[in-house]
């Protein structure tokens, strides 16, 4: 979440009163969960439905294979890699991630060659460690070199806290992600790569005459679930990243710290069903509708009206009434001149202290530079503000 400048004005008197006719609560009493870390959002509005230590870094284990998949998808989409390219199976990949490793594997044969598409299916459907290492070596020459590119790519798509030590998620203290960034990553996979996202819904995949079922557990128990992945580490316990779309509503969920595969499945199913049944979409502001105004320093007018370019909606709890507050945050002092359409700051919707959503807001009128006298008076007010 971006912090806006030295100070942020909170226009609760203007924006809060505007919302009072609409807002009857967002997640007033969040659903109880045994997970240690959880984050869930509704996709269209970006409303946060559940947040429990969502920014705490945990060992991501196989869940970090989602980042490997994202980077390979990116190379395919940009033309830097071809889906039919074949990569060799090295002895390192065979020993570290193959059958000898006794970890998740696609049973790639030593010194054989495998197409990128098949390696992706192995990595996604079977969560195969050998598939990830083969991709890494084929693309970058080594797993270590690939991991450097993986970390750089993660920063490019906004994953600022997560770190990666290898391509597969095999045990390493350097493989750490947050639930918030796992949700960001899963949303990126769905929205940016519609041509490759269906790989996550493949129910089984056969390689080397060995057929394995997809390890994702919610296909049968949650209607509309079409991905993503599970993970386990001794440090973080059992985790899952999940998405579901039903009746035009898509949710993204990431959770960690569960005690068993069954507990993981049950908790994920219960939380997703709660999100789908207990909430409804409600529009708060139309596109271009004036939300409030912001003081302008040194201008011909003392304030500028602001609005969002797109409709502002929330995904609202139907059963638990609770007031939603709205605040406009911006760099203070906001100085003239201001051109119509210029970005001013952001509208933030809150449930208590929890930020549910943040939407950019833009100037709806021009404000010219003021006279020397008006600028001097505004300077006095600025000094008074900081003194008070």
């Amino acid at each position: 979440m971006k912090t806006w400048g030295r100070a942020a004005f909170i226009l609760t008197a203007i924006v809060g009163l505007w919302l009072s006719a609409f807002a009857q609560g967002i997640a007033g009493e969040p659903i109880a969960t045994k997970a240690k870390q959880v984050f869930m959002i509704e996709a269209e509005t970006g409303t946060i439905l559940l947040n429990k230590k969502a920014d705490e870094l945990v060992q991501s284990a196989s869940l970090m294979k989602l980042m490997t998949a994202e980077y390979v998808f990116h190379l395919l989409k940009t033309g830097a890699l071809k889906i039919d390219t074949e990569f060799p199976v090295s002895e390192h990949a065979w020993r570290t991630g193959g059958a000898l490793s006794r970890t998740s594997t696609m049973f790639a044969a030593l010194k054989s060659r495998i197409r990128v598409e098949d390696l992706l299916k192995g990595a996604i459907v079977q969560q195969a460690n050998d598939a990830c290492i083969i991709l890494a070596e084929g693309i970058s020459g080594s797993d270590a070199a690939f991991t450097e590119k993986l970390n750089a790519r993660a920063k490019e798509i906004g994953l600022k806290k997560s770190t990666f030590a290898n391509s597969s998620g095999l045990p390493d203290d350097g493989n750490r992600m947050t639930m918030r960034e796992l949700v960001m990553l899963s949303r990126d996979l769905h929205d940016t790569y519609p041509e490759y996202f269906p790989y996550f819904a493949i129910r089984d995949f056969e390689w080397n005459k060995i057929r394995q079922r997809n390890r994702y557990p919610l296909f049968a128990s949650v209607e509309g679930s079409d991905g993503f992945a599970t993970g386990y580490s001794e440090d973080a316990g059992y985790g899952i990243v999940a998405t579901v779309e039903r009746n035009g509503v898509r949710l993204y969920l990431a959770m960690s710290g569960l005690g068993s595969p069954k507990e993981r499945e049950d908790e994920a199913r219960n939380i997703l069903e709660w999100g789908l049944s207990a909430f409804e979409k409600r529009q708060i502001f139309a596109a271009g509708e004036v939300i409030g105004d912001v003081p302008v320093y040194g201008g011909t007018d003392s304030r500028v009206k602001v609005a969002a370019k797109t409709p502002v909606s929330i995904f609202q709890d139907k059963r638990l009434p609770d007031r939603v507050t709205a605040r406009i945050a911006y760099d203070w002092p906001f100085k003239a001149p201001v051109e119509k359409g210029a970005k001013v700051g952001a509208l933030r919707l809150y449930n208590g202290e929890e930020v549910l959503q943040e939407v950019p807001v833009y100037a709806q009128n021009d404000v010219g530079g003021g006279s020397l006298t008006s600028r001097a008076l505004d300077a006095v007010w600025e000094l008074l503000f900081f003194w008070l």
Side-chain angles (χ1 to χ4, degrees):
M1 191 69 66
K2 182 176 180 180
T3 302
W4 293 88
R6 291 178 290 166
F9 269 22
I10 299 173
L11 305 185
T12 50
I14 296 172
V15 184
L17 288 173
W18 192 280
L19 283 174
S20 62
F22 297 91
Q24 293 298 316
I26 304 255
E29 293 293 334
I31 187 172
T33 176
K34 297 176 183 177
K36 294 179 180 179
Q37 301 88 15
V38 186
F39 191 66
M40 183 167 72
I41 67 167
E42 189 273 330
E44 183 180 357
T45 66
T47 304
I48 298 169
L49 308 185
L50 195 58
N51 180 349
K52 180 180 179 183
K53 298 182 179 180
D55 297 308
E56 186 173 282
L57 285 166
V58 300
Q59 286 190 2
S60 46
S62 282
L63 293 176
M64 69 149 293
K65 288 183 173 72
L66 295 176
M67 189 63 232
T68 293
E70 200 283 340
Y71 182 54
V72 176
F73 290 167
H74 169 68
L75 296 179
L76 291 170
K77 194 176 186 74
T78 58
L81 182 65
K82 302 297 183 185
I83 198 76
D84 290 325
T85 298
E86 293 184 347
F87 290 142
V89 180
S90 70
E91 184 169 350
H92 172 71
W94 179 69
R95 289 187 179 278
T96 306
L100 292 178
S101 68
R102 298 185 179 181
T103 63
S104 300
T105 178
M106 68 181 290
F107 297 98
L110 178 63
K111 297 183 180 180
S112 64
R113 298 181 67 86
I114 305 176
R115 296 168 61 248
V116 167
E117 184 173 29
D118 293 322
L119 290 168
L120 277 170
K121 290 178 180 178
I124 291 169
V125 179
Q126 302 170 340
Q127 295 192 350
N129 294 315
D130 50 356
C132 293
I133 299 170
I134 296 163
L135 282 166
E137 292 178 339
I139 291 168
S140 300
S142 71
D143 201 44
F146 179 85
T147 303
E148 289 182 10
K149 294 180 180 179
L150 210 61
N151 281 290
R153 176 62 185 165
K155 299 299 182 289
E156 287 177 10
I157 63 173
L159 310 187
K160 296 181 179 180
K161 297 186 70 173
S162 299
T163 59
F164 306 93
N166 53 48
S167 63
S168 60
L170 284 168
D172 191 298
D173 287 341
N175 288 326
R176 293 188 177 272
M177 299 190 73
T178 71
M179 298 305 104
R180 187 188 302 273
E181 293 192 352
L182 276 164
V183 164
M184 291 171 61
L185 175 58
S186 60
R187 193 174 183 181
D188 172 76
L189 285 164
H190 175 270
D191 294 349
T192 307
Y193 307 105
E195 64 272 54
Y196 302 121
F197 174 73
Y199 286 175
F200 292 99
I202 296 174
R203 301 304 176 91
D204 55 61
F205 178 62
E206 180 178 331
W207 191 257
N208 204 10
K209 299 182 179 180
I210 301 172
R211 181 172 295 275
Q212 299 183 67
R213 294 176 60 88
N214 194 314
R215 295 171 182 267
Y216 179 73
L218 300 182
F219 289 131
S221 58
V222 179
E223 179 188 351
S225 186
D226 48 7
F228 282 93
T230 60
Y232 168 77
S233 73
E234 291 186 7
D235 179 58
Y238 291 86
I240 188 169
V241 177
T243 186
V244 58
E245 183 174 19
R246 193 186 302 170
N247 300 323
V249 174
R250 179 169 288 277
L251 305 181
Y252 292 96
L253 167 68
M255 56 197 311
S256 184
L258 283 310
S260 69
K262 184 180 186 306
E263 186 173 81
R264 172 177 61 193
E265 181 178 355
D266 291 345
E267 290 286 299
R269 181 180 63 249
N270 291 342
I271 289 172
L272 289 169
E273 292 292 351
W274 167 74
L276 289 165
S277 63
F279 293 81
E280 62 184 356
K281 181 184 174 184
R282 179 165 294 183
Q283 181 172 297
I284 302 301
F285 296 107
E289 181 179 354
V290 173
I291 293 169
D293 53 34
V294 168
V296 177
Y297 171 85
T300 52
D301 293 317
S302 61
R303 309 185 80 84
V304 60
K305 297 182 185 300
V306 298
K309 291 183 177 179
T310 57
V312 179
S313 300
I314 55 174
F315 204 53
Q316 180 180 34
D317 195 311
K318 296 184 288 190
R319 303 165 298 175
L320 301 170
D322 187 21
R323 183 180 174 83
V324 172
T325 58
R327 305 170 185 174
I328 299 174
Y330 61 94
D331 282 342
W332 190 91
F334 191 68
K335 297 181 179 180
V338 182
E339 291 186 5
K340 183 178 179 180
K343 185 176 179 180
V344 174
L347 173 71
R348 293 175 182 167
L349 301 180
Y350 290 80
N351 176 37
E353 295 301 313
E354 175 69 30
V355 178
L356 302 171
Q357 191 182 159
E358 181 173 304
V359 182
V361 292
Y362 301 86
Q364 299 302 291
N365 56 281
D366 294 324
V367 178
S371 65
L372 181 62
T373 302
S374 68
R375 293 199 300 272
L377 286 171
D378 283 347
V380 171
W381 280 113
E382 182 183 355
L383 288 170
L384 254 159
F385 173 82
F386 279 108
W387 182 76
L388 290 171

